């Protein structure tokens, strides 16, 4: 089996490396071609067009920025595109409605589609310990679970296409809400002159504690947001998707709209490419 991989950014690159380390044959494409060079050195076949990947691979894994990028790279609006005898596994973060639309378009062009978004970051991608959530038929899940297990040892089927995408957005909403809430407490206590380590000692012993707080604490205190595992701009994208999907469901989203404005402020401060913990700067400072 030859696996095609479209999108070799922050997450895609270590995921391809993981496959190569497991002796899986990979043909890779990225819109920024320079990002392919390290993978070529590791043994991946790299190409200049997604059409070559579609032609040569049995299965295509997508780790692209958003649904618009997927539409563009796959050429879904082209009458010439077809995916006969090809399976597309979408592993990025998109909206449930977008995932269902992609399924319908790909099936109409002769292919199969399933979604398998992941929770985790670059270290987990390198180690094969991502949490893999699958939206697919039972048949598709059993057919492709061994491949998905290279990224996370126990892929979990959530339901049909759309359900895994929804779960991933719900989890990323928690990332945004928890991090902004923690950052606000941290900024408040810093201004009040409270010893932060005493705060953390109490917090760690309470039911309020989440491990992500300690993961972001040093970055916030040192104002060091470089070398992100998950950039601020991507978290804002996911928050916007969650809000758009929630509006269709008539959910009240006032708490999250505040986080959205906070992330927009962080981008206006030039922090789009920094680690999303940079939202702490937006909490502390006026533009």
């Amino acid at each position: 089996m030859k696996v095609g991989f479209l999108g070799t950014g922050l997450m895609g690159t270590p995921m391809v490396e993981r496959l190569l380390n497991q002796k899986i044959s990979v043909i890779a494409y990225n819109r920024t071609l320079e990002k392919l060079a390290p993978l070529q050195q590791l043994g991946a076949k790299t190409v200049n067009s997604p059409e070559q990947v579609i032609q040569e691979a049995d299965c295509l894994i997508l780790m692209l920025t958003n649904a618009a990028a997927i539409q563009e790279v796959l050429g879904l609006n082209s009458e010439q595109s077809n995916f006969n005898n090809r399976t597309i596994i979408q592993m990025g973060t998109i909206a449930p409605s977008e995932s269902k639309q992609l399924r319908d378009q790909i099936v109409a062009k002769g292919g199969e589609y399933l979604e398998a978004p992941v929770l985790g970051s670059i270290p987990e991608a390198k180690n094969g310990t991502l949490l893999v959530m699958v939206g697919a038929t039972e048949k598709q899940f059993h057919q492709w679970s061994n491949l998905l297990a290279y990224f996370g040892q126990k892929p979990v089927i959530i339901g049909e296409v759309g359900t895994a995408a929804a779960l991933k957005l719900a989890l990323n909403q928690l990332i945004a809400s928890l991090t902004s809430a923690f950052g606000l407490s941290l900024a408040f206590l810093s201004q009040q002159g409270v010893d932060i380590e005493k705060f953390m000692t109490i917090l760690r012993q309470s039911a309020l504690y989440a491990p992500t707080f300690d993961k972001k604490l040093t970055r916030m205190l040192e104002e060091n947001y470089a070398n992100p595992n998950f950039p601020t701009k991507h978290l804002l994208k996911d928050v916007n998707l969650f809000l758009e999907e929630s509006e269709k469901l008539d959910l009240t989203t006032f708490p999250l709209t505040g986080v959205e404005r906070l992330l927009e402020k962080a981008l206006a401060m030039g922090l789009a490419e920094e680690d999303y913990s940079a939202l702490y700067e937006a909490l502390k400072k006026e533009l």
Side-chain angles (χ1 to χ4, degrees):
M1 180 179 65
K2 181 176 284 187
V3 174
F5 207 103
L6 303 174
T8 57
L10 286 175
M11 286 292 287
T13 293
M15 290 172 73
V16 172
E17 290 175 358
R18 178 75 184 167
L19 292 176
L20 293 172
N21 288 338
Q22 301 299 317
K23 310 304 180 186
I24 303 295
S25 178
V26 178
I27 176 171
Y29 168 80
N30 193 74
R31 289 183 294 175
T32 305
L33 296 177
E34 296 78 32
K35 293 183 178 180
L36 293 169
L39 295 174
Q40 187 177 39
Q41 294 176 357
L42 291 174
K45 178 177 179 180
T46 60
V47 294
N48 296 328
S49 74
E51 290 79 12
Q52 288 178 263
V53 181
I54 295 167
Q55 289 171 6
E56 295 187 31
D58 305 297
C59 165
L60 283 77
I61 294 176
L62 310 180
M63 186 53 82
L64 294 159
T65 304
N66 51 36
I70 294 171
Q71 293 277 351
E72 175 191 337
V73 170
L74 291 182
L76 288 173
N77 295 321
S78 169
E79 293 182 2
Q80 285 72 40
S81 62
N82 77 80
F83 301 97
N84 290 332
N85 301 314
R86 300 290 184 272
T87 295
I88 314 295
I89 304 178
Q90 198 299 112
M91 300 192 72
T93 303
I94 61 175
S97 59
E98 294 172 330
S99 193
K100 293 174 185 177
Q101 180 185 12
L102 287 170
R103 174 199 59 196
D104 294 345
Q105 290 175 295
I106 289 165
V107 169
K109 291 178 179 289
E112 288 202 36
Y113 173 91
L114 60 149
E115 61 188 14
V118 298
L119 186 67
S121 198
I122 294 171
E124 291 78 18
K126 289 180 177 179
N127 296 330
T129 55
L130 293 166
L131 300 177
V132 183
M133 301 156 277
V134 184
T137 65
E138 289 284 348
K139 180 181 177 181
Q140 288 173 326
F141 178 71
H142 289 300
Q143 181 179 0
W144 297 105
S145 59
N146 286 341
L147 174 62
L148 295 173
Y150 289 120
F151 305 119
Q153 294 179 357
K154 294 182 179 180
V156 178
I157 186 166
I158 307 303
E160 63 184 18
V161 166
T163 57
L167 179 51
K168 179 57 166 46
L169 275 187
L171 291 167
N172 281 20
Q173 184 276 139
L174 279 175
I175 292 173
S177 296
L178 285 171
T179 305
S180 59
F182 175 68
L184 182 58
S185 289
L186 201 63
F188 176 79
L189 293 176
S190 295
Q191 294 284 353
Q192 295 287 345
V194 175
D195 186 296
I196 297 302
E197 188 49 45
K198 290 181 179 177
F199 162 60
M200 292 303 301
T201 298
I202 297 296
L203 179 60
R204 291 182 189 114
Q205 298 176 68
S206 76
L208 302 173
Y209 178 72
T212 189
F213 297 157
D214 267 310
K215 289 183 179 179
K216 298 305 177 185
L217 175 64
T218 301
R219 278 190 178 276
M220 291 179 175
L221 293 181
E222 296 181 356
E223 300 182 2
N224 177 13
Y225 313 112
N227 301 312
N229 291 330
F230 190 26
T232 306
K233 65 179 183 180
H234 289 170
L235 184 57
L236 176 59
K237 181 264 293 184
D238 294 348
V239 166
N240 286 335
L241 287 177
F242 185 93
L243 289 170
E244 290 167 8
E245 294 292 294
S246 296
E247 185 176 351
K248 299 173 187 176
L249 302 172
D250 292 325
L251 295 176
T252 298
T253 56
F254 292 138
L256 191 61
T257 55
V259 178
E260 177 191 31
R261 290 195 294 271
L262 181 66
L263 289 165
E264 289 172 346
K265 181 180 174 184
L267 263 65
M269 296 171 68
L271 301 169
E273 304 291 342
E274 304 298 299
D275 184 84
Y276 68 87
S277 56
L279 59 78
Y280 183 59
E281 294 301 306
L283 283 164
K284 293 193 304 176
K285 299 174 183 177
E286 292 298 325
L287 287 177

